[in-house]
């Protein structure tokens, strides 16, 4: 029976599509609503897996992952966006990641099938409200005793009006009934309107579940069984066709029979009575749409490989690029069980390199692929410190913000989910001597606990941390090619940029004399081997 209903639904959908094409009635183009970040993050917030170390807010911001997620989410409804966000934020375990990779590769190998599935999901983009909160968090409101028993009210209203012929006192009864109708309508009006927006999104979800279940596609087998139930529930949540199609009927029924209020409480019962089924539909549709979005995105990716994931603290990225930079030069990064101190001239791309490594570690953990020719990376959370800022309203200086973030990194290293630390220009907010001193101490402790990549213009840190971090330098060759090579930057360009930017020879000359004076004291230190030695690291640091 369920197979028959699914087939009938598919035939009806096809017939309507052909009729619209014959009559030249274009489908209404969906609007890609600008959902706020908190809406997109709801599934992650409500369904977070405590066994997975999720990215924190600072790392999400530092790696520009909201911009990257928006790039993945083109022509994707709120359901797919929420699943993409959840995967990016928390990652997937090995089995789930392998399953996603298999499905995405399957879709990439058949562009026509991919396009058809994308079209089937297009109507989901008409949903203008997120419903994860409704399905996972909201409690069912209490149902008043009078729900479903309001049908006598319009009869009483008519009877009271007719009774006016006999006695003018009947107007009192008319006023009482009209007051009951109008006050009830006004009390529930906003709640009903908000509920109808949620039901629009939910019914889009059920409709697509039913359509996908009728397709003969191995990828859609999970949709086949629940297709009939999805169609039935969708019809139960809808108003009667005659009510919708008859001009004025809906308004009359709402104001004189409280039809919208009764329908609202009927919908509440149906939704909260079928939560497990609706949650399963929600996740199936969201995951399929996320897989479709990834396949469409990767077909346009200039560089792509499926990553080898492991648990050791080593990274190998061959010819990797950043997905947000279409003209980015590829770099290769290899760390064999130890961290790295990255140096390089101003503007050469140190920060871009750190973000490139960070975002590739995240995509490997979330989706199983990297933007590289070859990748072998650990399945570990990423923690960054790259964009600390002062806060005018919070009363926090830049250095205080950097100290707070450093405490968070140290706490994460001792926490339940230690991971990889990526740090750019640590402790910029204080003087040079204290910046180097504090940075050397914090980085030494972090590097002893896990994998650390740090870039800094304070080259003395390379010598101080040589026992923990391998020195690597981003160098630009004469042909413009960039390469990450062993060693520390030998020739800085900060003063040379003064001339290039038109500061004049006098300022450049003075800056050069100060640099020469400082260089003998700071740029070439003596024996640093024992400066950080002599103590053990045992006490966890709490923020």
């Amino acid at each position: 029976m369920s197979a028959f209903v699914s087939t009938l639904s598919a035939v009806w959908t096809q017939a309507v599509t052909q009729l619209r094409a014959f009559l030249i009635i274009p489908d209404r183009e969906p609007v890609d609503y600008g959902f706020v970040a908190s809406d997109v993050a709801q599934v992650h917030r409500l369904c977070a897996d405590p066994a997975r170390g999720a990215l924190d807010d600072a790392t999400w911001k530092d790696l520009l992952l909201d911009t990257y997620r928006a790039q993945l989410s083109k022509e994707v409804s709120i359901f797919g966006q929420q699943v993409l966000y959840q995967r990016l934020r928390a990652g997937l375990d090995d089995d789930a990641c392998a399953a996603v990779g298999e499905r995405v590769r399957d879709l990439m190998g058949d562009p026509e099938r991919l396009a058809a599935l994308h079209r089937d999901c297009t109507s989901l983009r008409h949903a203008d409200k997120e419903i994860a909160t409704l399905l996972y968090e909201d409690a069912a409101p209490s149902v008043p005793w009078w729900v479903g028993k309001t049908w006598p009210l319009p009869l009483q209203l008519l009877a009271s009006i007719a009774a006016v012929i006999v006695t003018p006192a009947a107007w009192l009864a008319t006023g009482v009934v009209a007051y009951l109708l109008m006050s009830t309508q006004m009390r529930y009006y906003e709640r009903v309107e908000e509920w109808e927006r949620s039901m629009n999104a939910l019914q889009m979800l059920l409709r697509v579940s039913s359509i996908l279940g009728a397709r003969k596609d191995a990828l859609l087998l999970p949709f086949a069984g629940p297709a009939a139930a999805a169609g039935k529930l969708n019809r139960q949540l809808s108003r009667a066709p005659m009510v919708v199609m008859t001009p004025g009927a809906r308004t009359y029924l709402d104001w004189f029979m409280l039809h919208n209020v009764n329908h609202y409480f009927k919908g509440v019962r149906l939704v909260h009575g079928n939560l497990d089924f609706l949650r399963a539909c929600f996740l199936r549709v969201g995951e399929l749409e996320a897989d479709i979005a990834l396949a469409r995105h990767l077909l346009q990716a200039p560089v792509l490989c499926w990553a080898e994931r492991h648990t050791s603290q080593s990274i190998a990225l061959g010819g990797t690029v950043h997905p947000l930079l279409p003209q980015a030069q590829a770099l290769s990064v290899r760390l064999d069980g130890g961290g790295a101190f990255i140096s390089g001239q101003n503007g050469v791309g140190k920060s871009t390199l750190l973000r490139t490594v960070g975002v590739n570690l995240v995509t490997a953990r979330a989706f199983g692929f990297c933007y590289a020719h070859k990748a072998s990376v650990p399945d570990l959370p990423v923690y960054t410190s790259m964009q600390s800022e002062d806060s005018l309203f919070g009363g926090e200086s830049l250095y205080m913000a950097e100290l707070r973030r450093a405490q968070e990194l140290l706490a994460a290293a001792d926490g339940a989910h230690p991971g990889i630390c990526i740090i750019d220009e640590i402790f910029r907010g204080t003087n040079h001597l204290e910046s180097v001193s504090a940075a050397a101490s914090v980085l030494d402790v972090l590097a002893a606990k896990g994998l650390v990549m740090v870039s800094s213009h304070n080259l003395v840190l390379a010598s101080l941390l040589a026992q923990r971090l391998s020195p690597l330098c981003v160098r630009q060759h004469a042909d413009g090619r960039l390469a990450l090579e062993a060693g520390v930057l030998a020739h800085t360009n900060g003063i040379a940029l003064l001339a290039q930017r038109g500061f004049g020879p006098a300022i450049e000359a003075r800056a050069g004399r100060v640099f020469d004076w400082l260089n003998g004291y700071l740029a070439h230190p003596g024996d640093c081997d024992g400066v950080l030695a002599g103590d053990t690291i045992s006490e966890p640091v709490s923020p």
Side-chain angles (χ1 to χ4, degrees), residues 306-459:
W306 294 94
E308 175 190 339
R309 306 197 328 172
H310 53 74
T311 56
S312 63
Q313 293 194 353
S314 62
I315 297 174
L317 291 167
T320 187
V321 298
H322 197 292
L324 297 180
L325 298 176
Q327 305 299 326
Q329 285 198 45
L331 278 171
S332 294
V333 180
R334 187 175 189 89
L335 301 177
D336 294 316
F341 177 87
I342 311 293
S343 60
Q345 292 187 334
N346 291 285
V348 77
K350 300 185 297 299
S351 298
T352 300
L353 170 64
L354 293 181
R355 284 195 173 92
T356 299
V357 173
V359 77
N360 276 279
L361 291 173
V362 170
T363 58
R365 195 165 185 257
F367 310 127
F369 62 77
C370 288
Y371 299 91
H373 294 293
K374 188 175 182 181
S376 176
V377 295
D379 177 20
L380 293 172
V382 177
Y383 301 95
T384 66
S385 177
M386 302 182 75
Q387 296 189 90
S388 295
E389 298 174 345
D390 58 351
S391 173
L392 175 64
F393 298 106
E396 186 177 57
S397 69
L398 171 58
Y399 186 53
M400 294 302 293
E402 290 179 310
L403 289 176
R404 174 175 50 78
R405 184 56 181 161
Q407 286 182 305
E408 292 170 354
L409 296 183
L410 289 165
D414 289 312
H417 303 289
I420 301 166
C421 290
I422 297 178
I423 303 169
D424 189 22
E425 294 299 339
I426 186 172
F427 297 148
R428 296 172 291 128
T430 188
N431 66 79
H432 178 76
L433 289 177
E434 290 183 316
S435 172
V436 170
S437 304
S441 179
V442 170
L443 291 172
D444 185 57
V445 173
L446 279 175
K449 296 175 182 291
L451 195 60
V452 173
M453 288 187 69
V454 59
S455 75
S456 177
H457 290 290
N458 291 328
L459 302 182

Side-chain angles (χ1 to χ4, degrees), residues 54-214:
L55 303 179
D56 60 18
D57 290 340
T59 302
W60 184 265
K61 178 182 176 182
D62 286 346
L63 295 180
L64 310 178
L65 289 174
D66 223 26
T67 303
Y68 174 66
R69 181 203 57 79
Q71 185 184 75
L72 294 180
S73 302
K74 292 177 180 177
E75 298 182 9
V76 177
S77 77
I78 182 62
F79 311 112
Q81 290 185 49
Q82 288 176 326
V83 171
L84 286 169
Y85 181 99
Q86 183 188 32
R87 291 179 184 176
L88 270 174
R89 198 77 191 236
L92 298 173
D93 61 32
D94 289 340
D95 292 339
C97 196
V100 167
E102 183 178 353
R103 295 196 301 266
V104 171
R105 287 192 294 271
D106 199 18
L107 290 169
M108 292 172 66
D110 191 345
E112 291 186 5
R113 177 192 186 197
L114 175 62
L117 289 173
H118 178 62
R119 285 194 300 272
D120 286 341
C121 293
T122 296
S123 61
L124 293 170
R125 290 159 55 204
H126 289 298
D128 62 350
K129 183 172 174 57
E130 78 86 21
I131 58 173
T133 306
L134 168 66
L135 297 182
Y136 288 93
E137 189 174 49
D138 288 352
S142 59
V143 180
W145 64 267
W146 47 260
V147 169
K149 303 173 184 177
T150 58
W151 59 269
L153 288 176
L155 298 178
Q156 293 173 2
L157 184 65
L158 290 173
S160 64
I161 293 173
V164 173
I165 300 173
V166 179
T167 171
W171 283 116
L172 181 62
T174 302
V176 170
V177 176
Y179 171 78
L180 289 174
L181 289 169
M182 295 182 65
S183 62
T184 304
Q185 186 67 240
M186 294 174 66
R187 177 183 177 184
Y188 290 100
Y189 181 79
E190 290 186 3
R191 192 190 303 185
V192 170
E193 288 293 302
E194 193 70 13
W195 179 261
E196 288 186 352
R197 287 182 61 209
S198 296
M199 288 306 97
N200 173 60
L202 188 60
Q203 289 184 269
M204 289 289 177
L205 186 77
L206 292 168
R207 175 177 176 271
V208 169
S209 293
S210 181
I211 291 173
L212 293 173

